[in-house]
Amino acid sequence: MANYCMTVGGQDYELRLSAKTQAKLESKYNDGIVSIIFDSLDRISVRAELFSAALSYNGNANPIRDGFDFCDALIEDGVAGSEGFARILLEMAYTSGIISETVKNKSLARLEDVFADEDETGDEENPTAATD
């Protein structure tokens, strides 16, 4: 299993969701891991738990292991909005073997379309309400 490597605030991080961790999350949320990942885009508590799990794998050397603190560090480093977190979560899912590269790329493209629609309409409540 590969790790998703990134630098945040000048510090190096490696994120990984092991099979055991995925199973624990699925059991807790009574849902599949892909659904949990997408749900985390709109739920900070779920996103923070995913990050905590990914930062705390056995043998890690991550300077931050708390998901809420990591979210704050990402924001301080310029990550913004659901689309910013989606990129990280989808890369992490890909390197953890949860989704294929094709699914990762298609998901990112679809999210870009959704957020582009939101920018065009200014409708944050209903990003699919674009008018022609």
Side-chain angles (χ1 to χ4, degrees), residues 8 13 21-22 25 31 45 47-48 55 75-77 82 99 108 117 127 129:
V8 179
Y13 290 88
T21 298
Q22 292 173 44
L25 289 165
D31 208 348
S45 60
R47 185 182 322 142
L55 292 162
I75 292 166
E76 290 171 11
D77 207 45
S82 294
I99 59 174
L108 287 170
D117 287 347

Side-chain angles (χ1 to χ4, degrees), residues 83-126:
E83 65 273 23
F85 286 102
R87 290 185 180 289
I88 296 166
L89 291 163
L90 289 169
E91 289 290 350
M92 183 179 71
Y94 166 65
T95 57
S96 295
I98 297 167
I99 59 174
S100 68
E101 186 172 20
T102 301
V103 169
K104 176 192 77 168
N105 291 337
K106 285 182 178 182
S107 297
L108 287 170
R110 179 62 189 126
L111 285 170
E112 287 176 11
D113 290 345
V114 168
F115 291 114
D117 287 347
E118 179 181 308
D119 289 343
E120 290 173 13
T121 65
D123 188 352
E124 294 181 23
E125 292 295 317
N126 186 4

Side-chain angles (χ1 to χ4, degrees), residues 22-42:
Q22 292 173 44
K24 287 179 183 178
L25 289 165
E26 288 178 341
S27 178
K28 177 178 181 174
Y29 290 103
N30 197 31
D31 208 348
I33 192 66
V34 173
S35 294
I36 295 166
I37 289 168
F38 279 100
D39 187 40
S40 76
L41 298 177
D42 193 40

